[in-house]
Amino acid sequence: MNLPENVTNFRPMYSSPLEAQRLEIAIRAEVILSQFWRDDDTHDGMRTIELEGLVDVLEGCSAAEIRAAWVSYQRSGPRTASGRLVKPDAGALWKIVILLRPKPRIAPNNVNVKETPINRVSAERAREIMQEVFGGIECNQDDKPSSN
């Protein structure tokens, strides 16, 4: 298969939207973590496990949220004594995503809403309705169903 030289907009077909999202997160996470990995001391298996962990934790986050969290982390994340940024774990980025999300708002209690008045039927009208519907069956207010 011949791929174009510029594959930044290439989106292959996935079996599910979740799989596509996880791949997008994995690519973004690999770019983020690549600046902390050293080719001579980071085994490929460790990279894979670390990426899987990031993807698992950030799975419910959008690409824009992850980008914003990464920007925030780069600006204010913990640094070593020499000033180097400490490698983030998935939880650190997830926490920033949650903090950056808009806070839920409680719907206002609309006090100005007028309740529809209940048109109550008088006892006399209720007897008339019962007479019309059930034809001749008397219903007294004192009659109560027995509880046997």
Side-chain angles (χ1 to χ4, degrees):
M1 171 167 52
N2 292 332
L3 294 176
E5 289 181 20
N6 181 0
V7 292
T8 56
N9 293 325
F10 177 70
R11 297 207 181 253
M13 293 180 66
Y14 302 100
S15 61
S16 72
L18 179 61
E19 184 181 331
Q21 180 194 19
R22 287 180 61 85
L23 179 61
E24 188 172 355
I25 292 170
I27 291 169
R28 187 164 304 280
E30 186 169 16
V31 170
I32 289 170
L33 294 176
S34 67
Q35 58 193 297
F36 299 100
W37 288 330
R38 303 291 174 255
D39 288 335
D40 55 345
D41 67 354
T42 307
H43 187 270
D44 287 344
M46 289 176 58
R47 290 181 191 208
T48 301
I49 291 169
E50 198 168 8
L51 281 173
E52 285 176 348
L54 270 162
V55 171
D56 290 343
V57 172
L58 299 175
E59 186 175 84
C61 306
S62 71
E65 288 177 321
I66 295 169
R67 282 184 62 198
W70 177 233
V71 167
S72 176
Y73 188 85
Q74 289 180 88
R75 289 181 179 156
S76 60
R79 299 191 176 272
T80 64
S82 63
R84 291 184 55 131
L85 188 63
V86 174
K87 180 169 74 170
D89 62 9
L93 294 176
W94 181 82
K95 184 177 180 181
I96 294 170
V97 166
I98 297 304
L99 290 173
L100 293 177
R101 283 184 177 169
K103 304 298 179 256
R105 296 182 310 182
I106 298 174
N109 186 2
N110 201 349
V111 182
N112 297 330
V113 175
K114 294 181 181 178
E115 290 187 25
T116 307
I118 300 173
N119 294 327
R120 302 213 182 264
V121 177
S122 68
E124 182 59 36
R125 178 65 184 133
R127 278 192 276 286
E128 290 173 5
I129 293 171
M130 294 295 289
Q131 182 69 29
E132 291 171 18
V133 173
F134 296 107
I137 299 175
E138 289 285 328
C139 178
N140 297 326
Q141 287 181 345
D142 297 335
D143 293 341
K144 294 181 182 169
S146 62
S147 56
N148 289 346

